[in-house]
Amino acid sequence: MFMRNIFNSQFKYYYLLGLFVFITTAIFSVGFHHPDEYFQILEFASYKLGNTPSNSLAWEFADRIRPTLQPTIAFLALKLFNTIGLINPFTISLILRLITALLAWLVISKISHLLLNQFKTTIAQTVFVFSCFFLWYVPYTFVRFSSENYSALFFLLGIYILLKQTNSNQNILLPWFLIGVMFGCSFYFRFQMAFAILGVGIWLVFFYKISLKKITALTIAFLIICIANTCIDTWFYNEFVITPWRYFASNIIDNKASNWGVTPCWFYITGFLQQAAPPLSLALLLFIIVGILQNKTHFFSIAFLVFIIGHSIIGHKEMRFMYPIIIIANYLAALGVDYITQKSIKPKLLKLLFKTILLVNLFMLLYRCFVPAQEQVLYYNYIYDIAQKNKINLIGDRNNFNNILGSPVYFLKSNNVRNYVANSDEDVLNIINTNKFDSVYVMSTYLNSPLKLKYKGYKTTTEYSFYPNWIKHFNINNWQSRTDMFEIYKIKIQL
């Protein structure tokens, strides 16, 4: 049985609970972590379906620098769902997250189980399996239908096959061909994975001493995937295009990436320490460093370092760029734990550290499992649901409702919604009176809205808000000013 070794493992309950956590997170983690996850995948797919105009897409479309493998997968999925009568974009998004969560759980389960025998202590094995499923940012990251996630999963699939081959005496070329296929797909999900693939290539050539036949099979497969994706990109953009070159020319040679900010080379270290929840982040970083120092020639160490160094050289940096190597980092951290526990370095201090880490991680895990990734999407969902029954009129204060995510939204919007913009209460009344509306919905910002929404002869009711009323009375450290807080009201003629 394909999963028999997982369910017979001493960590089978970790794997089963991990599946539950991944599925739970997929259900509740509505929306996206970064706009690219939505605008450069689902809106691209919506364009290919004829629903999103090309001039409303992200600039990467006009510059032809976005690889279209994942948007094409999304396009085919949307075509299939539409064929069977499923058109609700929020249900479709949920299904994509669930499929992603199941694939991620399967890949991580298989590779984590395969790597267990590389640890000498049970505590290191436990730390590794635990971190693969319950480290607070892992489920949240691996249920995303994002390029970071899918590039990581296909890279790990390639590594899984590679591990099986390096532990085997069989001289078969097919697995090496499949490794090339997986690495090629990983590259076309996200071009930056070239750094990790290069790291593995360095290990294969200089440490594993790979044979010419095997490296040829791997390279041919990689090139076939590149050719196939060039065909996909050409079909998607309706012109011949080599997206890896255009991406390199645009972001590196023309330095367009720097328009989104430039940070120092140590950004990923300080960013991780700040964002991965200290003291958890500090402990993880120390374990990773120890793991690398004690395993300098391990292919994960080399791939990790090449990936980090490559990204650190580039001026524009974001922490999400590191997401594809999360599992590699977890493995290296577990190697660090393995070394420290063998040396019995301050066991009482280590025990206290683990208890503190677990407590911090528990709170962060619960938060990331149940809180939406992007709460604004919930407002789109609410409007979409009520517009399924009847056409509605929606007024946004100072901004069109379809632009609250930063760019025009087409995939999530309903054709039964007529949108208006009001900068004052007078504008609201003019819209109502001019069009002779009996009722309208108003999307208003909770703070600094120009609308009072109190009109003689009309009744105003609050219809939806993600944030409960009681939480609005607490503004510790002025958190509300840094949060997009919206409310949807209904204004109706009072008879």
Side-chain angles (χ1 to χ4, degrees):
M1 185 179 175
F2 181 61
M3 297 296 292
R4 181 176 297 170
N5 56 352
I6 299 296
F7 296 126
N8 289 336
S9 165
Q10 60 177 317
F11 296 104
K12 62 182 178 181
Y13 294 114
Y14 283 70
Y15 290 117
L16 289 172
L17 183 58
L19 177 60
F20 173 78
V21 171
F22 272 44
I23 291 175
T24 301
T25 307
I27 292 171
F28 288 97
S29 192
V30 177
F32 50 83
H33 173 71
H34 188 274
D36 286 0
E37 182 184 334
Y38 172 77
F39 286 106
Q40 294 193 40
I41 299 177
L42 296 177
E43 285 291 356
F44 273 41
S46 178
Y47 152 77
K48 207 60 183 175
L49 285 171
N51 298 328
T52 301
S54 60
N55 59 6
S56 294
L57 294 172
W59 69 272
E60 287 87 348
F61 179 86
D63 281 23
R64 307 294 195 256
I65 68 171
R66 167 75 196 194
T68 58
L69 174 59
Q70 195 167 4
T72 298
I73 293 172
F75 163 76
L76 295 174
L78 294 180
K79 288 279 284 186
L80 174 62
F81 292 139
N82 292 347
T83 300
I84 62 176
L86 179 57
I87 60 173
N88 188 310
F90 303 95
T91 304
I92 291 172
S93 297
L94 172 60
I95 293 172
L96 290 175
R97 289 197 305 275
L98 287 170
I99 291 172
T100 302
L102 291 172
L103 175 62
W105 176 83
L106 177 63
V107 172
I108 295 172
S109 294
K110 295 296 286 186
I111 197 166
S112 63
H113 185 268
L114 190 62
L115 288 167
L116 283 178
N117 62 7
Q118 298 193 18
F119 300 103
K120 296 177 182 177
T121 63
T122 302
I123 188 170
Q125 292 179 329
T126 305
V127 166
F128 180 51
V129 176
F130 181 91
S131 67
C132 282
F133 297 104
F134 310 114
L135 186 58
W136 69 268
Y137 48 79
V138 169
Y140 171 80
T141 302
F142 279 96
V143 304
R144 313 248 70 82
F145 189 68
S146 65
S147 63
E148 293 88 358
N149 192 12
Y150 273 77
S151 64
L153 293 177
F154 276 78
F155 179 76
L156 291 174
L157 281 171
I159 293 297
Y160 176 79
I161 302 171
L162 176 61
L163 284 168
K164 299 283 281 188
Q165 289 310 297
T166 54
N167 295 329
S168 172
N169 295 322
Q170 294 180 333
N171 193 24
I172 305 173
L173 295 181
L174 179 60
W176 294 96
F177 186 88
L178 292 176
I179 293 170
V181 170
M182 297 304 164
F183 283 177
C185 290
S186 175
F187 175 70
Y188 264 88
F189 278 117
R190 187 164 183 82
F191 291 141
Q192 294 93 327
M193 287 305 292
F195 292 123
I197 294 168
L198 174 62
V200 175
I202 291 171
W203 179 84
L204 285 172
V205 173
F206 295 103
F207 298 96
Y208 180 69
K209 307 294 183 182
I210 187 172
S211 69
L212 181 61
K213 287 183 178 179
K214 291 176 180 178
I215 196 68
T216 300
L218 190 158
T219 304
I220 289 174
F222 188 90
L223 291 175
I224 289 173
I225 294 300
C226 290
I227 293 170
N229 275 278
T230 300
C231 295
I232 293 172
D233 291 339
T234 299
W235 166 78
F236 201 96
Y237 288 120
N238 296 314
E239 64 177 85
F240 178 74
V241 59
I242 301 177
T243 50
W245 165 249
R246 292 184 70 97
Y247 182 91
F248 179 80
S250 178
N251 283 322
I252 305 301
I253 298 176
D254 296 339
N255 202 27
K256 282 190 177 181
S258 297
N259 293 335
W260 279 262
V262 175
T263 46
C265 59
W266 56 83
F267 168 80
Y268 290 115
I269 296 175
T270 57
F272 178 76
L273 289 173
Q274 292 170 4
Q275 297 182 32
L280 171 60
S281 56
L282 178 60
L284 283 172
L285 182 60
L286 292 175
F287 289 141
I288 289 170
I289 292 172
V290 172
I292 292 174
L293 291 176
Q294 297 303 317
N295 300 272
K296 300 182 188 69
T297 60
H298 194 287
F299 65 86
F300 269 171
S301 295
I302 298 171
F304 182 86
L305 289 173
V306 173
F307 191 85
I308 294 286
I309 293 170
H311 277 80
S312 297
I313 293 171
I314 298 171
H316 178 63
K317 303 173 186 68
E318 297 178 36
M319 283 309 301
R320 66 186 176 100
F321 296 167
M322 295 294 104
Y323 293 174
I325 56 169
I326 284 177
I327 300 301
I328 297 176
N330 291 351
Y331 173 77
L332 294 173
L335 285 178
V337 172
D338 204 29
Y339 175 79
I340 291 172
T341 50
Q342 287 181 77
K343 296 297 181 180
S344 299
I345 300 174
K346 298 186 182 301
K348 290 185 178 180
L349 180 62
L350 199 62
K351 192 174 182 180
L352 177 62
L353 177 63
F354 281 146
K355 287 182 178 179
T356 305
I357 287 173
L358 285 173
L359 185 62
V360 172
N361 187 76
L362 176 62
F363 286 110
M364 295 297 294
L365 179 64
L366 291 173
Y367 174 79
R368 284 282 52 144
C369 280
F370 293 103
V371 174
Q374 177 57 261
E375 63 265 18
Q376 285 94 325
V377 173
L378 295 173
Y379 294 88
Y380 281 97
N381 197 348
Y382 175 80
I383 292 297
Y384 186 92
D385 286 343
I386 62 175
Q388 291 297 92
K389 302 173 184 177
N390 298 292
K391 289 186 176 182
I392 67 169
N393 307 295
L394 179 62
I395 302 173
D397 68 348
R398 296 172 297 188
N399 196 8
N400 190 303
F401 175 69
N402 286 332
N403 293 338
I404 66 170
L405 295 179
S407 296
V409 168
Y410 288 88
F411 175 67
L412 297 178
K413 77 173 188 177
S414 169
N415 292 327
N416 282 343
V417 179
R418 289 185 290 252
N419 286 285
Y420 302 88
V421 177
N423 294 308
S424 65
D425 288 304
E426 184 180 352
D427 289 344
V428 174
L429 289 174
N430 284 337
I431 292 170
I432 294 174
N433 295 327
T434 300
N435 296 281
K436 299 180 179 179
F437 292 145
D438 292 330
S439 64
V440 295
Y441 288 88
V442 177
M443 175 80 165
S444 174
T445 50
Y446 174 66
L447 295 176
N448 304 318
S449 174
L451 309 181
K452 302 302 180 184
L453 300 177
K454 294 181 180 180
Y455 315 119
K456 186 177 181 181
Y458 293 90
K459 181 181 180 182
T460 302
T461 56
T462 303
E463 297 294 306
Y464 180 78
S465 176
F466 170 71
Y467 295 94
N469 285 327
W470 62 266
I471 204 171
K472 298 171 186 176
H473 299 293
F474 300 92
N475 194 20
I476 301 172
N477 199 26
N478 200 26
W479 68 271
Q480 293 181 12
S481 66
R482 300 185 299 275
T483 306
D484 290 327
M485 299 179 69
F486 297 100
E487 292 181 321
I488 295 178
Y489 300 91
K490 186 175 183 180
I491 300 174
K492 189 175 182 180
I493 292 177
Q494 207 165 18
L495 300 177

